Amino acid sequence: MRGALLLLVSLLFLSCSDGVNSVAGGSGTGAGNALTVTARAADGATVAGAIVELWPAGQVPPDQGSAPAMSGTTAPDGTISFAVDTGAWSILVRRADAAFHLVSRGGASVSGTLRAISSLTGFVAGAEGGRVALPGLGRSVRCDSTGFFRLDSLPSGTLDWIAVGIGGTTVAGSSTLLPGQTMVASASGGAIAVDTLLRGIPVGTGFARGLPGDTGAFALAMQVRPSDTASTSWFLEWTSGTGRGVRLGLAAPDTLMLELDSTTYMAAGYRLGEGPSRVGLRWTGSGWEVWIDGKQAIKAAMATGTDRRTWTEPVLGGRGTKAIDWLVLRKGLVPDAWFGPSLP
């Protein structure tokens, strides 16, 4: 990874903002091979009226994104044909909240199954005003002042991305999205799928880079497997060099512990050492809350978190943590139901 750009972890839920623009119309009229695209539903039936869009494979869109080179809708038999040259074509097929993406090489015809759309989110650290683009899909989105970005309404499968800094520095990578799931970009530029029972997320993954300079609300949730032999364990440590900040973990196998600027809050009786547990942490802008398996366990009205500029990169899975199966991070306020049993 080069320059100051680093694509890092964050996790939000699916929404329809920044979606692909709807395009209707007939097939393309370029000269060359006849490329036929067939859209199918999960049961194998063909799908009429699906929108089909083509871009040159690998084409990096500009800041505002790019319109497809060709577009149209599938006929009653679920197919549409385009006259294309023999190069590689990136094909997006979508209908309502489902889509698929394929690449045709040499004008070969393709068939795919529409699956629930997904999202890709993350941070481009040190690239305020930068952007993240999806080659071959015409998508480009600006990062906010902390480097945070979000791309919604994406097809599942492996998608290439390029992060572009304001100075022109770029970092390229790819992420594999699961149908209907939000994807997390890792510090190494790879991908961590939510709810895939990933064992042992490395310490210092950098999942929240960008949040230290942000004073807004946020929430995170994780499925943890604590050690039943340690008297004290830390799932999350996010502090400054002077000890200010937040730490979340266990004081004992059945006792949750939240430490804010060295002030400790505890909640007993949760038997966390017996199996995987879903633990949530929410900063509302004026106080902190800890949730366990969809129920609020600790509430503390402390100003810790108002200014996180001196906090270092969070550390996950400290002493006493066997594994963190998955984690989800969301900027802004989240409803109580976000911590419920359906998460992620």
Side-chain angles (χ1 to χ4, degrees):
M1 194 161 290
R2 295 167 290 149
L5 296 179
L6 190 61
L7 195 63
L8 299 172
V9 174
S10 109
L11 201 331
L12 298 172
F13 278 117
L14 181 66
S15 76
C16 293
S17 62
D18 189 40
V20 180
N21 294 326
S22 296
V23 179
S27 62
T29 58
N33 295 344
L35 188 167
T36 299
V37 180
T38 304
R40 298 187 181 277
D43 61 2
T46 57
V47 176
I51 298 170
V52 182
E53 299 169 338
L54 275 65
W55 288 265
Q59 182 185 76
V60 179
D63 287 1
Q64 299 79 16
S66 61
M70 306 178 196
S71 65
T73 56
T74 55
D77 65 354
T79 68
I80 184 173
S81 294
F82 299 88
V84 300
D85 62 27
T86 57
W89 290 91
S90 174
I91 304 166
L92 175 66
V93 181
R94 56 193 176 83
R95 186 183 184 191
D97 58 354
F100 69 82
H101 171 249
L102 293 170
V103 175
S104 170
R105 303 188 185 280
S109 295
V110 297
S111 176
T113 301
L114 292 162
R115 302 185 186 280
I117 58 176
S118 303
S119 297
L120 175 64
T121 68
F123 287 86
V124 181
E128 297 80 358
R131 66 187 179 97
V132 174
L134 300 180
L137 283 175
R139 301 288 300 279
S140 181
V141 64
R142 282 284 171 184
C143 304
D144 70 11
S145 60
T146 68
F148 175 80
F149 76 93
R150 179 185 180 96
L151 284 160
D152 289 311
S153 301
L154 299 177
S156 60
T158 300
L159 296 180
D160 294 331
W161 49 259
I162 293 179
V164 184
I166 56 176
T169 305
T170 63
V171 174
S174 64
S175 296
T176 303
L177 283 67
L178 298 180
Q181 295 285 352
T182 299
M183 187 59 54
V184 184
S186 76
S188 62
I192 300 172
V194 174
D195 210 16
T196 56
L197 299 183
L198 178 74
R199 293 291 184 266
I201 292 177
V203 171
T205 56
F207 79 99
R209 186 183 295 274
L211 283 179
D214 182 2
T215 60
F218 74 92
L220 64 86
M222 63 181 78
Q223 180 163 290
V224 297
R225 297 174 183 267
S227 169
D228 56 5
T229 60
S231 59
T232 301
S233 62
W234 296 111
F235 309 144
L236 167 71
E237 298 180 77
W238 193 4
T239 62
S240 68
T242 60
R244 295 182 61 84
V246 57
R247 296 203 295 178
L248 174 64
L250 297 179
D254 66 344
T255 305
L256 277 168
M257 178 167 55
L258 175 67
E259 186 177 281
L260 302 171
D261 291 351
S262 299
T263 298
T264 301
Y265 300 82
M266 295 188 185
Y270 288 97
R271 306 180 69 83
L272 287 164
E274 296 186 352
S277 299
R278 297 189 174 194
V279 179
L281 178 68
R282 176 164 62 185
W283 163 249
T284 64
S286 59
W288 294 87
E289 301 169 4
V290 177
W291 292 69
I292 176 70
D293 293 329
K295 296 180 180 180
Q296 187 180 109
I298 299 175
K299 186 173 183 178
M302 283 191 65
T304 298
T306 303
D307 186 352
R308 302 189 290 270
R309 289 174 297 181
T310 62
W311 296 12
T312 59
E313 186 175 310
V315 174
L316 300 171
R319 179 170 61 92
T321 304
K322 287 184 178 178
I324 298 176
D325 293 334
W326 50 256
L327 64 88
V328 182
L329 173 67
R330 183 167 182 173
K331 291 184 66 174
L333 290 172
V334 301
D336 292 355
W338 191 77
F339 297 105
S342 63
L343 193 150

